[in-house]
mmCIF file of all heavy atoms in Angstrom:
data_model
loop_
_atom_site.group_PDB
_atom_site.id
_atom_site.type_symbol
_atom_site.label_atom_id
_atom_site.label_comp_id
_atom_site.label_asym_id
_atom_site.label_seq_id
_atom_site.Cartn_x
_atom_site.Cartn_y
_atom_site.Cartn_z
ATOM 1 N N LYS A 523 7.796 80.736 124.331
ATOM 2 C CA LYS A 523 6.632 79.953 123.937
ATOM 3 C C LYS A 523 6.930 78.462 124.011
ATOM 4 O O LYS A 523 6.108 77.662 124.463
ATOM 5 C CB LYS A 523 6.217 80.344 122.516
ATOM 6 C CG LYS A 523 4.984 79.632 122.011
ATOM 7 C CD LYS A 523 4.639 80.100 120.627
ATOM 8 C CE LYS A 523 3.438 79.339 120.083
ATOM 9 N NZ LYS A 523 3.115 79.753 118.699
ATOM 10 N N LEU A 524 8.140 78.082 123.564
ATOM 11 C CA LEU A 524 8.517 76.671 123.640
ATOM 12 C C LEU A 524 8.737 76.239 125.080
ATOM 13 O O LEU A 524 8.382 75.134 125.483
ATOM 14 C CB LEU A 524 9.781 76.426 122.809
ATOM 15 C CG LEU A 524 9.627 76.613 121.300
ATOM 16 C CD1 LEU A 524 10.988 76.530 120.636
ATOM 17 C CD2 LEU A 524 8.685 75.585 120.724
ATOM 18 N N ALA A 525 9.365 77.129 125.880
ATOM 19 C CA ALA A 525 9.614 76.792 127.277
ATOM 20 C C ALA A 525 8.325 76.751 128.088
ATOM 21 O O ALA A 525 8.272 76.165 129.159
ATOM 22 C CB ALA A 525 10.580 77.815 127.886
ATOM 23 N N HIS A 526 7.256 77.394 127.592
ATOM 24 C CA HIS A 526 5.980 77.436 128.280
ATOM 25 C C HIS A 526 5.311 76.068 128.305
ATOM 26 O O HIS A 526 4.423 75.814 129.124
ATOM 27 C CB HIS A 526 5.080 78.463 127.589
ATOM 28 C CG HIS A 526 3.798 78.722 128.305
ATOM 29 N ND1 HIS A 526 3.736 79.030 129.649
ATOM 30 C CD2 HIS A 526 2.502 78.710 127.869
ATOM 31 C CE1 HIS A 526 2.472 79.198 130.002
ATOM 32 N NE2 HIS A 526 1.710 79.005 128.930
ATOM 33 N N PHE A 527 5.722 75.163 127.399
ATOM 34 C CA PHE A 527 5.169 73.811 127.406
ATOM 35 C C PHE A 527 5.584 73.073 128.674
ATOM 36 O O PHE A 527 6.563 73.430 129.338
ATOM 37 C CB PHE A 527 5.655 73.030 126.188
ATOM 38 C CG PHE A 527 4.865 73.285 124.937
ATOM 39 C CD1 PHE A 527 5.331 74.154 123.977
ATOM 40 C CD2 PHE A 527 3.649 72.668 124.727
ATOM 41 C CE1 PHE A 527 4.607 74.387 122.822
ATOM 42 C CE2 PHE A 527 2.912 72.887 123.577
ATOM 43 C CZ PHE A 527 3.390 73.759 122.625
ATOM 44 N N ASP A 528 4.823 72.038 128.962
ATOM 45 C CA ASP A 528 5.138 71.190 130.116
ATOM 46 C C ASP A 528 6.503 70.544 129.895
ATOM 47 O O ASP A 528 6.690 69.746 128.970
ATOM 48 C CB ASP A 528 4.046 70.126 130.254
ATOM 49 C CG ASP A 528 4.194 69.316 131.538
ATOM 50 O OD1 ASP A 528 5.190 69.528 132.253
ATOM 51 O OD2 ASP A 528 3.317 68.483 131.817
ATOM 52 N N GLN A 529 7.476 70.897 130.766
ATOM 53 C CA GLN A 529 8.838 70.395 130.623
ATOM 54 C C GLN A 529 9.134 69.218 131.543
ATOM 55 O O GLN A 529 10.302 68.838 131.696
ATOM 56 C CB GLN A 529 9.849 71.520 130.908
ATOM 57 C CG GLN A 529 9.734 72.715 129.977
ATOM 58 C CD GLN A 529 10.066 72.341 128.542
ATOM 59 O OE1 GLN A 529 10.913 71.483 128.293
ATOM 60 N NE2 GLN A 529 9.393 72.981 127.590
ATOM 61 N N SER A 530 8.102 68.658 132.168
ATOM 62 C CA SER A 530 8.336 67.515 133.051
ATOM 63 C C SER A 530 8.760 66.297 132.228
ATOM 64 O O SER A 530 8.372 66.132 131.069
ATOM 65 C CB SER A 530 7.072 67.197 133.847
ATOM 66 O OG SER A 530 6.029 66.792 132.986
ATOM 67 N N GLN A 531 9.565 65.451 132.856
ATOM 68 C CA GLN A 531 10.058 64.264 132.163
ATOM 69 C C GLN A 531 8.919 63.317 131.811
ATOM 70 O O GLN A 531 8.943 62.645 130.772
ATOM 71 C CB GLN A 531 11.094 63.540 133.031
ATOM 72 C CG GLN A 531 11.821 62.414 132.327
ATOM 73 C CD GLN A 531 12.612 62.905 131.123
ATOM 74 O OE1 GLN A 531 13.231 63.970 131.171
ATOM 75 N NE2 GLN A 531 12.598 62.146 130.039
ATOM 76 N N ALA A 532 7.883 63.294 132.669
ATOM 77 C CA ALA A 532 6.744 62.409 132.389
ATOM 78 C C ALA A 532 6.030 62.832 131.108
ATOM 79 O O ALA A 532 5.674 61.989 130.277
ATOM 80 C CB ALA A 532 5.779 62.438 133.568
ATOM 81 N N ALA A 533 5.847 64.150 130.935
ATOM 82 C CA ALA A 533 5.177 64.635 129.719
ATOM 83 C C ALA A 533 6.025 64.370 128.488
ATOM 84 O O ALA A 533 5.515 63.987 127.422
ATOM 85 C CB ALA A 533 4.875 66.126 129.849
ATOM 86 N N ILE A 534 7.341 64.577 128.605
ATOM 87 C CA ILE A 534 8.251 64.341 127.480
ATOM 88 C C ILE A 534 8.244 62.862 127.096
ATOM 89 O O ILE A 534 8.207 62.507 125.908
ATOM 90 C CB ILE A 534 9.666 64.823 127.826
ATOM 91 C CG1 ILE A 534 9.678 66.351 128.005
ATOM 92 C CG2 ILE A 534 10.660 64.418 126.749
ATOM 93 C CD1 ILE A 534 11.003 66.904 128.471
ATOM 94 N N ASP A 535 8.246 61.977 128.096
ATOM 95 C CA ASP A 535 8.216 60.537 127.825
ATOM 96 C C ASP A 535 6.896 60.122 127.179
ATOM 97 O O ASP A 535 6.865 59.280 126.272
ATOM 98 C CB ASP A 535 8.430 59.750 129.114
ATOM 99 C CG ASP A 535 9.842 59.914 129.657
ATOM 100 O OD1 ASP A 535 10.724 60.346 128.873
ATOM 101 O OD2 ASP A 535 10.059 59.647 130.850
ATOM 102 N N MET A 536 5.784 60.715 127.643
ATOM 103 C CA MET A 536 4.485 60.408 127.021
ATOM 104 C C MET A 536 4.475 60.785 125.546
ATOM 105 O O MET A 536 4.024 60.015 124.684
ATOM 106 C CB MET A 536 3.372 61.169 127.754
ATOM 107 C CG MET A 536 3.006 60.625 129.111
ATOM 108 S SD MET A 536 1.702 61.629 129.882
ATOM 109 C CE MET A 536 1.435 60.720 131.401
ATOM 110 N N GLU A 537 4.994 61.980 125.249
ATOM 111 C CA GLU A 537 5.013 62.429 123.856
ATOM 112 C C GLU A 537 5.922 61.541 123.019
ATOM 113 O O GLU A 537 5.581 61.169 121.883
ATOM 114 C CB GLU A 537 5.474 63.881 123.784
ATOM 115 C CG GLU A 537 5.483 64.435 122.367
ATOM 116 C CD GLU A 537 5.967 65.862 122.308
ATOM 117 O OE1 GLU A 537 6.249 66.450 123.381
ATOM 118 O OE2 GLU A 537 6.078 66.399 121.184
ATOM 119 N N ALA A 538 7.107 61.204 123.574
ATOM 120 C CA ALA A 538 8.038 60.352 122.826
ATOM 121 C C ALA A 538 7.444 58.970 122.581
ATOM 122 O O ALA A 538 7.606 58.394 121.492
ATOM 123 C CB ALA A 538 9.354 60.234 123.589
ATOM 124 N N ARG A 539 6.723 58.439 123.579
ATOM 125 C CA ARG A 539 6.133 57.109 123.422
ATOM 126 C C ARG A 539 5.026 57.129 122.355
ATOM 127 O O ARG A 539 4.924 56.214 121.539
ATOM 128 C CB ARG A 539 5.581 56.637 124.768
ATOM 129 C CG ARG A 539 5.053 55.227 124.758
ATOM 130 C CD ARG A 539 4.888 54.679 126.179
ATOM 131 N NE ARG A 539 4.101 55.539 127.028
ATOM 132 C CZ ARG A 539 4.582 56.265 128.046
ATOM 133 N NH1 ARG A 539 5.885 56.224 128.320
ATOM 134 N NH2 ARG A 539 3.806 57.029 128.771
ATOM 135 N N GLU A 540 4.233 58.189 122.355
ATOM 136 C CA GLU A 540 3.177 58.297 121.346
ATOM 137 C C GLU A 540 3.762 58.547 119.961
ATOM 138 O O GLU A 540 3.279 58.028 118.957
ATOM 139 C CB GLU A 540 2.218 59.430 121.722
ATOM 140 C CG GLU A 540 0.998 59.538 120.837
ATOM 141 C CD GLU A 540 0.080 58.339 120.957
ATOM 142 O OE1 GLU A 540 0.013 57.746 122.056
ATOM 143 O OE2 GLU A 540 -0.565 57.989 119.947
ATOM 144 N N ARG A 541 4.833 59.347 119.892
ATOM 145 C CA ARG A 541 5.458 59.648 118.597
ATOM 146 C C ARG A 541 6.129 58.410 118.010
ATOM 147 O O ARG A 541 6.241 58.262 116.782
ATOM 148 C CB ARG A 541 6.468 60.778 118.755
ATOM 149 C CG ARG A 541 6.999 61.332 117.456
ATOM 150 C CD ARG A 541 7.993 62.458 117.709
ATOM 151 N NE ARG A 541 7.346 63.630 118.238
ATOM 152 C CZ ARG A 541 6.768 64.570 117.501
ATOM 153 N NH1 ARG A 541 6.766 64.446 116.183
ATOM 154 N NH2 ARG A 541 6.219 65.629 118.053
ATOM 155 N N SER A 542 6.605 57.513 118.891
ATOM 156 C CA SER A 542 7.277 56.305 118.401
ATOM 157 C C SER A 542 6.325 55.379 117.643
ATOM 158 O O SER A 542 6.771 54.508 116.903
ATOM 159 C CB SER A 542 7.911 55.550 119.571
ATOM 160 O OG SER A 542 6.908 55.074 120.457
ATOM 161 N N LYS A 543 5.019 55.560 117.819
ATOM 162 C CA LYS A 543 4.063 54.739 117.081
ATOM 163 C C LYS A 543 4.048 55.079 115.601
ATOM 164 O O LYS A 543 3.571 54.280 114.785
ATOM 165 C CB LYS A 543 2.665 54.911 117.677
ATOM 166 C CG LYS A 543 2.552 54.436 119.122
ATOM 167 C CD LYS A 543 1.143 54.673 119.662
ATOM 168 C CE LYS A 543 1.026 54.237 121.124
ATOM 169 N NZ LYS A 543 -0.329 54.497 121.665
#
Side-chain angles (χ1 to χ4, degrees):
K523 182 179 177 182
L524 294 172
H526 187 51
F527 277 100
D528 188 355
Q529 300 295 327
S530 64
Q531 189 61 40
I534 295 175
D535 292 342
M536 286 179 178
E537 182 181 357
R539 185 164 53 251
E540 187 66 32
R541 190 180 291 275
S542 65
K543 297 178 182 179

